[in-house]
Amino acid sequence: MTTLQDCRARDAADPLRTLRDLFTIPEGVVYLDGNSLGVMPAAAPARIAAAVTEEWGTQLIRAWNSAGWFDLPQRLGDRLARLVGAQPGELVCTDSTSVNLFKVLSAALKIAGEDAPQRRLVVSERSNFPTDLYIAEGLCRERSYRLQLVDAPEQVAALLPQTAVLMLTHVNYRTGAMHDMAAMSAAAHAAGALAVWDLAHSAGAVPLDLNGHGADFAVGCGYKYLNGGPGAPAFVWVHPRHAQRFWQPLSGWWGHAAPFAFTPDYQPAPGIARYLCGTQPILSLTGLECGLDTVLAAEPLGGMAALRAKSLALTDLFIALVEERCAGHGLALVTPRDHAQRGSQVCLSRSEGAYAIVQALIARGVIGDYRAGDAQMPDILRFGFTPLYLGFEDVWNSVDHLREVLVSEEWRRLEFNQKNAVT
Ligand SMILES: Cc1ncc(COP(=O)(O)O)c(C=O)c1O
């Protein structure tokens, strides 16, 4: 049996515990939603204020050069590349994940169309995050491809001979289940298909090796585990073998080889810069820079490998404590127990009251979230574990509150059963 004292001892021995000081966490809050919106880096308010008052306020338009605004998407991309197994010059921070997915899927379909025109399928999972499916559906309609959804990863293999692009999200947003990127990319390549990856729940959460694991294209979120702030710019990575082959269709002037030549015709910039579109949101990129600083601050302490080891220890502990202390209350573990198949979140399903239980926990300061179930799965209580700012005592406290909410049936109160617009 794990005790509160055990958890405190693990925190005291944790070499990453000082990283929590890089964040502003409200008193009394245990934040288990960094998989949706990361905690604010303590440096962000002053840094963003400086970008406003010093850079915008005094340097005005000169700041595009003097404050380095112009190449901020590339500079941040080079730093983020270190976290995802990419090289400098292969990645830019820009636009949203949805928009970046449109760009890379367009490029992938164009390449596949030239190399293997008889392949007409884009294959993905029914359980993928809806924006990915919506973007793919739109593009497939436009380009006369068919979006084929599978219910289980094992069904992918049979479709690969007709597949142009395999489009997967590395860590599933609802279940926390993680794909083997190397194996799935290799299977796609062996069959002659391209592999597009969404890293929304992976970047900053699990070690990644885009080049080593055979990805062709990747996109991901800046506001989740990268702590970039609400609506922070996302990122886009293209394997160097593809980067020069096609200009993505959102061919705005920021992706031009010489934007300030103002020529009437489009000449794509070399490499990943052509994946930029229009003028970049500098204040939001500044927030993302603060977020990246927090993840990169782990580098001297073992980097992504150390963060991953702690994340698994936190999620293992959470699972064990829920099973020890909340048994008999109708919770079922949805997230895989196998470390190789688990992202940095734990999802529990419950046939009744999942939304209200999450609301009752939030009222107690334990912030997780809820995702609706479907025909295959009851409603889900979702808890994300960001090892940068969470400790083992936080895990203990969160399960303690969960137990109290369940035992007292506090969640039945009317106020916890009224749904907000954003769940
Ligand atoms: C897998 C995945 N892709 C994309 C998104 C969101 O994309 P966007 O930032 O464009 O809204 C999410 C949001 O949770 C997600 O989980």
Side-chain angles (χ1 to χ4, degrees):
M1 278 290 235
T2 309
T3 65
L4 175 57
Q5 282 63 38
D6 297 333
C7 295
R8 288 185 174 150
R10 290 178 80 174
D11 280 333
D14 172 17
L16 301 180
R17 69 187 178 285
T18 52
L19 296 171
R20 187 186 176 99
D21 300 339
L22 298 173
F23 297 90
T24 302
I25 304 178
E27 196 55 39
V29 164
V30 177
Y31 194 70
L32 304 181
D33 220 353
N35 52 323
S36 206
L37 173 65
V39 166
M40 184 177 75
R47 178 69 193 91
I48 294 169
V52 173
T53 54
E54 289 163 29
E55 296 174 6
W56 182 19
T58 60
Q59 299 175 44
L60 287 166
I61 198 160
R62 293 167 293 185
W64 286 106
N65 295 309
S66 56
W69 287 355
F70 185 65
D71 57 6
L72 200 47
Q74 285 92 334
R75 281 212 317 280
L76 298 190
D78 286 353
R79 300 186 71 208
L80 174 54
R82 305 214 293 265
L83 300 174
V84 297
Q87 293 299 312
E90 291 179 2
L91 190 150
V92 281
C93 293
T94 186
D95 295 331
S96 65
T97 306
S98 306
V99 170
N100 287 332
L101 186 63
F102 177 85
K103 299 173 197 167
V104 298
L105 197 51
S106 300
L109 289 177
K110 176 79 176 166
I111 290 168
E114 284 171 4
D115 294 354
Q118 73 288 359
R119 293 165 176 269
R120 303 312 299 169
L121 293 186
V122 173
V123 172
S124 193
E125 292 178 287
R126 201 176 307 282
S127 63
N128 200 346
F129 189 76
T131 204
D132 297 46
L133 301 181
Y134 303 160
I135 293 283
E137 192 179 338
L139 261 171
C140 284
R141 287 167 73 107
E142 183 105 337
R143 307 274 179 90
S144 306
Y145 280 83
R146 187 151 63 83
L147 177 61
Q148 180 79 44
L149 302 181
V150 297
D151 292 307
E154 304 78 62
Q155 295 167 355
V156 167
L159 296 167
L160 283 176
Q162 302 130 268
T163 300
V165 178
L166 176 62
M167 182 193 79
L168 295 172
T169 290
H170 185 227
V171 174
N172 186 279
Y173 78 105
R174 273 203 310 183
T175 63
M178 183 167 74
H179 281 298
D180 180 338
M181 183 186 287
M184 294 300 271
S185 301
H189 290 169
L194 293 166
V196 170
W197 290 95
D198 182 337
L199 308 178
H201 294 268
S202 312
V206 299
L208 291 161
D209 186 5
L210 285 171
N211 280 305
H213 288 165
D216 292 290
F217 298 87
V219 297
C221 263
Y223 50 77
K224 298 179 187 293
Y225 293 96
L226 298 178
N227 309 312
F235 65 89
V236 49
W237 171 86
V238 177
H239 193 284
R241 73 175 165 268
H242 303 307
Q244 299 283 116
R245 266 192 78 177
F246 173 60
W247 25 297
Q248 51 89 12
L250 299 179
S251 44
W253 71 305
W254 275 60
H256 194 280
F260 289 89
F262 297 110
T263 57
D265 61 319
Y266 184 74
Q267 286 298 329
I272 193 67
R274 69 183 58 188
Y275 281 78
L276 298 176
C277 179
T279 307
Q280 300 300 305
I282 297 303
L283 300 179
S284 296
L285 282 167
T286 303
L288 178 59
E289 185 168 30
C290 298
L292 285 176
D293 286 344
T294 63
V295 188
L296 291 167
E299 280 187 335
L301 302 168
M304 283 310 306
L307 289 172
R308 174 64 171 160
K310 182 173 170 187
S311 152
L312 287 172
L314 292 169
T315 51
D316 275 346
L317 176 65
F318 183 79
I319 293 169
L321 287 176
V322 167
E323 290 180 344
E324 274 171 36
R325 309 194 66 224
C326 304
H329 287 284
L331 295 171
L333 179 67
V334 173
T335 304
R337 287 178 198 276
D338 179 356
H339 286 179
Q341 293 178 39
R342 189 193 307 164
S344 199
Q345 70 187 50
V346 176
C347 299
L348 306 169
S349 69
R350 196 172 194 271
S351 54
E352 194 195 0
Y355 178 80
I357 294 167
V358 169
Q359 295 310 305
L361 284 172
I362 292 173
R364 288 164 165 265
V366 178
I367 303 182
D369 63 23
Y370 154 89
R371 288 292 174 260
D374 54 27
Q376 275 80 44
M377 202 190 302
D379 291 346
I380 282 181
L381 299 84
R382 194 171 72 144
F383 302 101
F385 292 84
T386 304
L388 286 170
Y389 48 75
L390 282 172
F392 296 93
E393 187 172 346
D394 291 322
V395 175
W396 175 274
N397 289 337
S398 63
V399 178
D400 215 37
H401 283 292
L402 177 58
R403 181 183 151 78
E404 282 177 20
V405 165
L406 292 167
V407 170
S408 67
E409 300 206 345
E410 183 178 305
W411 59 272
R412 291 194 187 275
R413 288 189 352 216
L414 187 62
E415 74 218 66
F416 299 136
N417 286 275
Q418 283 157 347
K419 281 215 174 127
N420 294 318
V422 175
T423 59

